[in-house]
Amino acid sequence: MRTPAQNARLALLLEVAGTPKPGNVDRRRDLADLRFEHFLAGTVGAETGLEMAQHGDQVGDAFERAIEGMAAQGGGNTQFGALLLLVPLVRTAADHDRLSPSVVESVAEGTTVADAAGFYRAFDHVDVFVDDPPADMEPLDVRRGSEAVPAIEKRELTLLEVMDRSVPGDDVAREWVTGFERSFAAADQLVEAEGPATDRAASIFLSLLAERPDTLVTNRHSQEVAREVSDRAASLVERDALETDPDAVESFADDLIEHGINPGTTADVTAAGLYIALERGELEI
């Protein structure tokens, strides 16, 4: 039987191996400076941090260590957002017989100022794309990394409160304040789907992208671009194109890669859904 930390690493591997995942690295597609192998190495590097979460370390410390290890490869940021979802899920799974939104909420609500500091220190290890904060929030700009920790401590912000301040512009943060709503829904869809786990991951990714514009695409490009991408995904899902017209999905994937459109937040939620299904024993590998 796999441990919670092992299931988290498996979820990361299954997510990146699923194909096609339009706009994202998968086993058939690389980005200009970010390759499939970087994601494999990032998963290996995250091992210690995930095991810290499993063994009861503070969420912030475990997350920082996972990011430090993940970043020890040549591609840069591979799974920052996914690990921000997986670390609290692993921490929850270690203490409860079954993952549920309510128990994950209790872990999020129990985070501290020290956890928020660990989250900020994680930005010292890797460059992460984030939008510019409002002028009055500049002292809390996550890109300042550990330099922003005194401001966090002065305002006594917990990690959950930091996540709450990032909504609605960041759908990874949104998961934290909604009981991982989309992650659990994705897990349910994965269980109901058919075929190998990697095919299911690709299918759920496309469904999630169709359901809600990706916030990373919004922040890097615009709301209009994100909506257009979501609408195109919805059209493919509506006609079950993965089964009836797989070439159309492949073409969509290639087009997003060509135009530098990367729905990375959707991939993060897909990884979290995979983890929940694996940890519950509902997705057998």
Side-chain angles (χ1 to χ4, degrees):
M1 181 178 293
R2 288 184 296 270
T3 66
Q6 288 172 336
N7 273 330
R9 296 198 298 278
L10 180 56
L12 291 171
L13 294 172
L14 292 173
E15 188 284 315
V16 74
T19 187
K21 296 199 316 295
N24 286 266
V25 171
D26 61 30
R27 69 177 186 268
R28 294 178 186 164
R29 290 173 180 82
D30 293 329
L31 303 182
D33 300 313
L34 193 59
R35 302 189 300 274
F36 180 68
E37 65 202 60
H38 292 139
F39 281 78
L40 303 184
T43 299
V44 172
E47 177 178 5
T48 299
L50 292 168
E51 289 183 347
M52 286 171 62
Q54 175 183 299
H55 294 312
D57 286 51
Q58 285 189 292
V59 169
D61 289 342
F63 177 69
E64 182 195 357
R65 182 62 187 85
I67 296 304
E68 181 182 16
M70 176 216 74
Q73 36 73 27
N77 178 22
T78 51
Q79 295 125 322
F80 191 99
L83 288 167
L84 187 53
L85 298 176
L86 290 176
V87 167
L89 288 170
V90 170
R91 184 70 184 82
T92 304
D95 290 340
H96 297 83
D97 293 333
R98 182 174 174 81
L99 284 173
S100 69
S102 61
V103 294
V104 179
E105 278 184 333
S106 69
V107 169
E109 290 168 356
T111 58
T112 65
V113 176
D115 290 316
F119 168 71
Y120 270 78
R121 287 194 299 269
F123 286 84
D124 292 343
H125 303 296
V126 66
D127 289 331
V128 180
F129 180 87
V130 293
D131 217 0
D132 293 331
D136 63 332
M137 294 293 290
E138 285 183 4
L140 300 177
D141 187 346
V142 292
R143 292 170 296 188
R144 297 182 63 219
S146 56
E147 292 181 1
V149 169
I152 289 293
E153 294 174 339
K154 181 178 180 180
R155 301 191 190 197
E156 298 183 338
L157 294 175
T158 69
L159 182 49
L160 179 59
E161 288 170 335
V162 170
M163 293 296 106
D164 188 50
R165 286 167 177 256
S166 300
V167 180
D170 182 340
D171 271 2
V172 170
R174 182 177 180 272
E175 288 297 279
W176 271 72
V177 301
T178 61
F180 285 57
E181 177 182 50
R182 295 184 76 207
S183 300
F184 279 96
D188 291 340
Q189 292 177 56
L190 280 158
V191 173
E192 294 170 2
E194 297 180 351
T198 51
D199 290 352
R200 297 189 197 194
S203 175
I204 297 317
F205 172 89
L206 193 63
S207 294
L208 288 169
L209 185 59
E211 162 192 297
R212 186 176 176 88
D214 189 277
T215 50
L216 181 62
V217 175
T218 296
N219 292 332
R220 278 186 168 171
H221 300 276
S222 68
Q223 288 184 345
E224 291 74 20
V225 170
R227 170 54 64 186
E228 179 187 354
V229 169
S230 186
D231 288 346
R232 291 175 67 185
S235 176
L236 292 168
V237 169
E238 191 174 317
R239 57 193 175 95
D240 195 20
L242 278 170
E243 292 294 330
T244 64
D245 190 6
D247 287 346
V249 186
E250 297 284 353
S251 177
F252 179 42
D254 291 338
D255 183 57
L256 293 192
I257 292 283
E258 181 180 348
H259 289 89
I261 299 172
N262 169 221
T265 302
T266 305
D268 297 334
V269 177
T270 301
L274 282 161
Y275 176 74
I276 292 167
L278 288 167
E279 187 61 33
R280 284 177 160 183
E282 297 170 341
L283 182 62
E284 296 184 3
I285 303 294

